[in-house]
Amino acid sequence: MEERERCLRELAVFSRLEGEQVKLICERATEKKYLKGEIIFFEDNNDENLYILLEGRVKLTMISPEGKEKAISILQVGDIFGEMSLFDQDTTPITAEVIDDARLVSIPFHDLEDIIRQEPEVAIKIIEALAKRTRLLTSQIRELVFQDAEGRLASLLMRFIEDFGVEVKSGYLIDIVLTHQEIANLMGSSRVTVTKLLNQFIDEGIIKIYKRKIVVMDIDRLGEKITSKL
């Protein structure tokens, strides 16, 4: 309990909450560990929990009737998810899959409603999570409409730098391993196109691959791939 409370307090999403507010959340929360590849919940299921990611990474996806996957986002430590079904009590529209061993806390919606009645500031944090997801989806729509595949890949790599980037001697290491197909799903393209563009970026000296991870060596030229297409 104390360890969980300490972890939640360290997360940016709860950094401005009072100690008693965080303690109230911990009293209602359940902690669980998940292994890579496990599904937390499936699309169209009635999963009535809010999740907070303490360790690891989680991928949110949607599946077409033909079985084609569309990745929405890659979540990192401190992100909240599962909140979309909280307000309309409808089935969840996404699937949540663990892509790195993860530790999560979950809070049932009925307990969360009680917490919000006692501590309205918690609701603000949930609204912030919704706004972040809406902003991401808006950016993806903008990229699909106004950018070609090259520009969309550059935009995606820029987001990866912001979310998972580690500054190294040669540039920025994107500290996450994704297959070409997973990158294609995230940017709305084909695996063949992604492979071709990554090789092009390598030839142009913009990126390199190090232990299956992408290192962006020339962030300015990467940015030019975006602005030139808008």
Side-chain angles (χ1 to χ4, degrees), residues 157 161 164-175 205-208 210 214-220 222:
L157 293 180
I161 290 172
F164 311 113
V166 177
E167 193 166 359
V168 294
K169 186 175 181 180
S170 57
Y172 293 91
L173 171 69
I174 297 174
D175 191 21
I206 297 174
I207 66 170
K208 68 178 180 180
Y210 176 74
I214 297 172
V215 179
V216 177
M217 299 186 294
D218 195 332
I219 195 168
D220 291 333
L222 183 65

Side-chain angles (χ1 to χ4, degrees), residues 7-29:
C7 287
L8 288 178
R9 199 185 302 276
E10 290 176 355
L11 298 178
V13 68
F14 292 131
S15 62
R16 284 181 282 180
L17 293 181
E18 299 294 333
E20 288 302 313
Q21 294 172 325
V22 176
K23 185 176 181 180
L24 182 61
I25 294 172
C26 289
E27 289 173 350
R28 305 293 186 95

Side-chain angles (χ1 to χ4, degrees), residues 12-230:
V13 68
F14 292 131
S15 62
R16 284 181 282 180
L17 293 181
E18 299 294 333
E20 288 302 313
Q21 294 172 325
V22 176
K23 185 176 181 180
L24 182 61
I25 294 172
C26 289
E27 289 173 350
R28 305 293 186 95
T30 300
E31 184 176 323
K32 184 176 179 180
K33 292 183 178 180
Y34 292 82
L35 298 177
K36 179 179 179 180
E38 283 194 77
I39 301 296
I40 301 167
F41 55 77
F42 284 99
E43 184 176 339
D44 292 329
N45 279 11
N46 291 305
D47 188 281
E48 298 184 346
N49 290 281
L50 180 78
Y51 294 89
I52 306 163
L53 184 57
L54 298 182
E55 293 177 4
R57 293 188 178 119
V58 171
K59 178 174 66 173
L60 301 183
T61 63
M62 300 181 74
I63 307 296
S64 73
E66 296 77 24
K68 186 176 180 180
E69 178 184 281
K70 167 57 181 172
I72 304 299
S73 62
I74 305 293
L75 305 181
Q76 55 186 327
V77 172
D79 280 341
I80 293 174
F81 61 104
E83 77 288 339
M84 284 184 282
S85 299
L86 171 61
F87 299 103
D88 60 12
Q89 298 181 338
D90 201 352
T91 56
T92 178
I94 56 177
T95 294
E97 178 185 352
V98 176
I99 57 174
D100 285 329
D101 291 355
R103 185 161 65 99
L104 303 165
V105 294
S106 61
I107 309 170
F109 287 166
H110 60 85
D111 285 334
L112 187 59
E113 289 173 353
D114 290 340
I115 293 172
I116 290 172
R117 290 189 184 97
Q118 295 179 58
E119 301 292 346
E121 287 185 45
V122 175
I124 295 175
K125 297 303 176 182
I126 298 171
I127 293 170
E128 288 176 355
L130 283 168
K132 179 180 178 181
R133 199 93 68 236
T134 301
R135 188 177 295 275
L136 173 62
L137 291 173
T138 301
S139 296
Q140 291 177 335
I141 292 171
R142 178 180 176 84
E143 290 162 11
L144 285 170
V145 172
F146 295 112
Q147 294 181 3
D148 60 10
E150 184 180 76
R152 295 200 303 275
L153 177 58
S155 295
L156 181 63
L157 293 180
M158 283 294 198
R159 285 204 299 273
F160 282 166
I161 290 172
E162 183 177 345
D163 291 340
F164 311 113
V166 177
E167 193 166 359
V168 294
K169 186 175 181 180
S170 57
Y172 293 91
L173 171 69
I174 297 174
D175 191 21
I176 184 172
V177 175
L178 294 173
T179 66
H180 289 191
Q181 185 61 61
E182 288 172 324
I183 293 173
N185 291 340
L186 282 165
M187 59 177 274
S189 189
S190 68
R191 181 190 58 78
V192 173
T193 298
V194 167
T195 300
K196 178 181 177 181
L197 288 172
L198 287 174
N199 288 333
Q200 175 189 319
F201 285 8
I202 291 171
D203 292 342
E204 294 176 4
I206 297 174
I207 66 170
K208 68 178 180 180
I209 306 298
Y210 176 74
K211 294 183 177 180
R212 298 180 61 205
K213 297 179 180 179
I214 297 172
V215 179
V216 177
M217 299 186 294
D218 195 332
I219 195 168
D220 291 333
R221 289 185 65 193
L222 183 65
E224 290 172 2
K225 297 288 186 180
I226 302 170
T227 55
S228 64
K229 307 299 177 182
L230 294 177

